[in-house]
Amino acid sequence: MNTAALKTFAPAVRKQIMEAVTRKLDYVLTAQTPDYLTTFAPQVASLRKLAQSDRAGLIERAAYTWFNRLAALRFMDARSWHPFRARVLTPATADETQPELLKLTRSGTLPEELKSHTDPARLNDLLDGRISSPDAQGEVYRHLILAACRFYHALLPNLFEKLDDETELLLPDDVLTEHSVVHGFRTEISDADCVEIDDQKRERANVEILGWLYQFYISERKDAVMARKSAVPTEDIPAVTQLFTPHWIVRYLVENSLGRLWLLNRPQSGLKAHMPYYIEGEPETDFLKITKPEEIRLCDPAVGSGHMLTYAFDLLFLIYEEEGYAPSEIPALILQHNLHGLEICPRAAQLAELALVFKAREKSRRFFQPEHLVRPRIVELQNITFAEGELADYFKAIGPVQSEASGNSSFILQPSSLIFRQFEEAKNFGSLIQPCLSESEIQAARSALHTSYSNLHPSEGQLFLRETHLKVLRVLEQAEALTQRYHVVVANPPYMGAKGFNGKMKSFIETNYAEYGADLYSCFI
């Protein structure tokens, strides 16, 4: 992998995408064409509201979104993984210049899987000149990229969100020429960059490229924030604290935690032969007992782009294989039972999920089939606030929730419960939050809330309360991720000294981590 080229490419394309998104935003907000006035009126109204409240943030988020999507499409091009069997961004062969998907569409062979996600008749009319357009071929190709993204919504909904929203409108118009935002993904990222050679000298997908792209993408933002030498606002914490961990460090950490745990439970295991960074320690007799691979729970509480979890995936695959599991079944088992991650940055969380999905697809050709796909357990911690009286109205409708947690200890969840205020600054405090309920209490509360809400008749306000209900469940989901007990916790925690703490973080650290308040790293440890 040519990291030097990626280091130049990623910051440059970030600037290019942001400029292109800005131009497209200005056009959309001022356009008087029939489609923007009627068909896309709700999306335009949403963009106008978002631009008025935080124009810079909107542009930043949209640019991130399209960078991640284009990177994902380019990776799948390189690995020939598209279920519709056509490259989206790149040509089929090195001696061609036209993206394979566009070439097929021009020849009248648009893949069947994409027909329901676009308008084939309109595409043909554009290509045949029956619809006038200054750049018919470019317009067709833009529709094809959107069709591919819609197709992947069912498989990767966290990255490819449903595209009948404002992000679709902000995909730049030019995605075909050598000046487009897509061109660099074709020329600066090679198929070879997406491949690595494993310990057995076999070729496999190199998901590490996703982490490097993200690290380089945020590098200029990180430098700018660091140069201010002042407290770091919440929205800039990811840029300042995220650091892509080199592969040998990842292997050292995972091999001497997850690997050690397995060897303690299986002294005769051959896993050691695959762990060059494993250090033989003193004999141990007091260790966690594991009877089968599905029992292991490993968490990275500051997951970033998922480098710790992707290597843990490799090690777990060997463990399952050694235990006699069918290779085609192992990827889903790993994602369902073993790996957990928490993150405050939505784009990093997307990449972590994407990297794990790619690891699974590498091992199982059928993993992209909806019936076999398993969503990785990556939790993006979100700020959750409730308006005055919102919780009171909610609990008035469903009644105070009294539950029996494990051990027969009873508790009542009600509007004044502290748990509902603990995630108001989740983007600020992240995994340092210590929920006030136990794991068993949270599980019991979720079950009781589901029952109470389901029993409401729509006329009694079930639909009206839906948004509040989803927020309550989100609080409990985030709290559960932070209260679960894990066999292994492995991370490269965020590095930020106390001088970078914003006011709310400083107060939080002084209250909860006073003895370790010199930096975030100490608090995490």
Side-chain angles (χ1 to χ4, degrees):
M1 180 172 56
N2 187 352
T3 54
L6 298 180
K7 189 173 184 178
T8 301
F9 162 71
V13 79
R14 173 181 180 269
K15 182 178 180 181
Q16 185 183 15
I17 294 179
M18 289 187 67
E19 290 174 349
V21 166
T22 300
R23 290 193 298 271
K24 190 64 186 290
L25 175 63
D26 290 338
Y27 173 76
V28 169
L29 295 182
T30 58
Q32 296 295 307
T33 55
D35 53 351
Y36 286 130
L37 293 175
T38 56
T39 306
F40 299 120
Q43 293 94 317
V44 173
S46 176
L47 282 177
R48 183 168 285 110
K49 183 178 180 181
L50 290 169
Q52 289 173 347
S53 62
D54 184 11
R55 177 183 169 88
L58 169 62
I59 293 169
E60 183 79 53
R61 291 192 300 274
Y64 256 145
T65 294
W66 281 110
F67 176 82
N68 280 356
R69 288 172 180 168
L70 294 172
L73 293 173
R74 178 64 185 93
F75 192 95
M76 287 187 280
D77 277 4
R79 302 302 296 150
S80 300
W81 281 352
H82 296 297
F84 44 82
R85 297 168 298 283
R87 287 176 171 239
V88 178
L89 303 186
T90 53
T93 63
D95 58 349
E96 295 180 294
T97 58
Q98 194 170 68
E100 184 179 16
L101 184 56
L102 177 59
K103 180 182 178 181
L104 290 176
T105 304
R106 292 185 65 195
S107 67
T109 53
L110 174 68
E112 286 293 326
E113 294 91 338
L114 299 185
K115 287 183 177 179
S116 63
H117 299 291
T118 190
D119 184 348
R122 177 177 173 81
L123 299 187
N124 289 332
D125 288 344
L126 280 165
L127 290 172
D128 294 340
R130 290 186 292 272
I131 295 178
S132 177
S133 172
D135 181 20
Q137 188 166 259
E139 186 175 342
V140 167
Y141 185 53
R142 184 178 184 277
H143 282 291
L144 292 174
I145 290 179
L146 291 173
C149 291
R150 294 188 190 105
F151 172 84
Y152 279 114
H153 169 66
L155 297 178
L156 302 165
N158 194 35
L159 177 60
F160 294 96
E161 298 101 330
K162 189 172 177 60
L163 277 189
D164 56 356
D165 63 7
E166 58 272 5
T167 59
E168 176 173 339
L169 299 185
L170 295 183
L171 173 63
D173 289 325
D174 180 13
V175 288
L176 189 57
T177 73
E178 64 180 17
H179 305 294
S180 73
V181 297
V182 174
H183 184 70
F185 287 90
R186 299 189 188 105
T187 60
E188 301 304 318
I189 300 175
S190 69
D191 286 1
D193 288 331
C194 302
V195 174
E196 67 175 345
I197 306 300
D198 67 12
D199 295 338
Q200 284 73 48
K201 309 301 181 184
R202 296 173 301 191
E203 182 181 292
R204 67 179 183 184
N206 180 18
V207 298
E208 189 175 329
I209 189 176
L210 301 174
W212 283 117
L213 280 171
Y214 179 71
Q215 177 78 8
F216 295 142
Y217 184 93
I218 66 173
S219 60
E220 290 187 349
R221 177 75 177 269
K222 180 174 184 175
D223 292 343
V225 176
M226 296 289 283
R228 292 202 299 258
K229 299 186 184 301
S230 58
V232 179
T234 301
E235 62 271 18
D236 287 329
I237 290 174
V240 171
T241 59
Q242 286 171 342
L243 180 67
F244 188 67
T245 311
H247 194 56
W248 75 267
I249 297 178
V250 172
R251 295 192 67 163
Y252 171 80
L253 293 174
V254 176
E255 289 173 9
N256 288 283
S257 54
L258 171 62
R260 180 181 297 280
L261 177 65
W262 186 250
L263 290 178
L264 288 169
N265 282 273
R266 296 287 193 278
Q268 306 307 316
S269 169
L271 190 65
K272 193 184 303 183
H274 302 278
M275 301 195 301
Y277 297 97
Y278 180 72
I279 297 175
E280 195 75 58
E282 295 294 324
E284 296 181 51
T285 56
D286 183 18
F287 55 85
L288 294 170
K289 302 301 188 290
I290 303 295
T291 60
K292 56 183 181 179
E294 292 100 314
E295 294 177 5
I296 300 172
R297 291 204 292 192
L298 180 147
C299 178
D300 184 344
V303 75
S305 55
H307 202 181
M308 299 290 181
L309 297 189
T310 56
Y311 182 60
F313 181 100
D314 291 340
L315 221 53
L316 285 162
F317 193 92
L318 293 172
I319 288 171
Y320 275 95
E321 209 169 31
E322 189 176 71
E323 291 289 289
Y325 289 73
S328 61
E329 304 294 332
I330 295 173
L333 291 172
I334 292 174
L335 298 189
Q336 182 179 354
H337 297 290
N338 302 124
L339 299 179
H340 303 258
L342 297 113
E343 177 56 44
I344 60 173
C345 174
R347 302 310 164 205
Q350 286 179 344
L351 286 182
E353 182 173 331
L354 182 67
L356 287 173
V357 166
F358 284 171
K359 295 294 290 189
R361 171 58 182 82
E362 177 72 19
K363 295 294 187 180
S364 174
R365 293 175 60 87
R366 64 181 185 177
F367 188 79
F368 274 3
Q369 298 171 8
E371 63 272 22
H372 295 289
L373 187 78
V374 175
R375 288 280 304 276
R377 295 177 178 273
I378 306 296
V379 176
E380 178 213 336
L381 296 171
Q382 299 176 356
N383 293 342
I384 303 173
T385 59
F386 297 90
E388 185 176 353
E390 182 179 356
L391 284 169
D393 291 341
Y394 174 76
F395 281 99
K396 182 178 180 181
I398 69 170
V401 177
Q402 185 162 351
S403 305
E404 292 291 332
S406 62
N408 296 320
S409 59
S410 181
F411 73 101
I412 298 178
L413 197 64
Q414 51 193 347
S416 60
S417 297
L418 173 62
I419 191 71
F420 295 120
R421 300 197 302 275
Q422 287 198 279
F423 292 94
E424 293 176 343
E425 291 288 333
K427 292 292 185 188
N428 213 355
F429 310 148
S431 294
L432 295 179
I433 296 170
Q434 299 182 44
C436 59
L437 298 180
S438 69
E439 182 181 4
S440 60
E441 288 172 336
I442 292 167
Q443 291 172 345
R446 290 178 71 175
S447 176
L449 282 169
H450 176 75
T451 301
S452 298
Y453 183 75
S454 298
N455 289 338
L456 284 178
H457 189 276
S459 62
E460 296 178 274
Q462 186 188 54
L463 298 179
F464 180 74
L465 295 171
R466 183 174 184 274
E467 184 175 344
T468 303
H469 181 65
L470 292 177
K471 286 163 64 176
V472 168
L473 292 181
R474 183 71 190 190
V475 164
L476 296 177
E477 177 190 357
Q478 295 183 175
E480 185 174 24
L482 287 166
T483 54
Q484 281 188 143
R485 297 185 67 81
Y486 301 92
H487 298 85
V488 178
V489 178
V490 57
N492 192 359
Y495 298 85
M496 185 168 72
K499 66 179 182 181
F501 294 173
N502 57 53
K504 290 183 177 179
M505 181 180 287
K506 183 178 180 180
S507 176
F508 177 83
I509 297 299
E510 288 176 348
T511 301
N512 297 280
Y513 299 93
E515 295 182 39
Y516 317 99
D519 53 69
L520 279 186
Y521 175 89
S522 300
C523 296
F524 266 75
I525 295 300

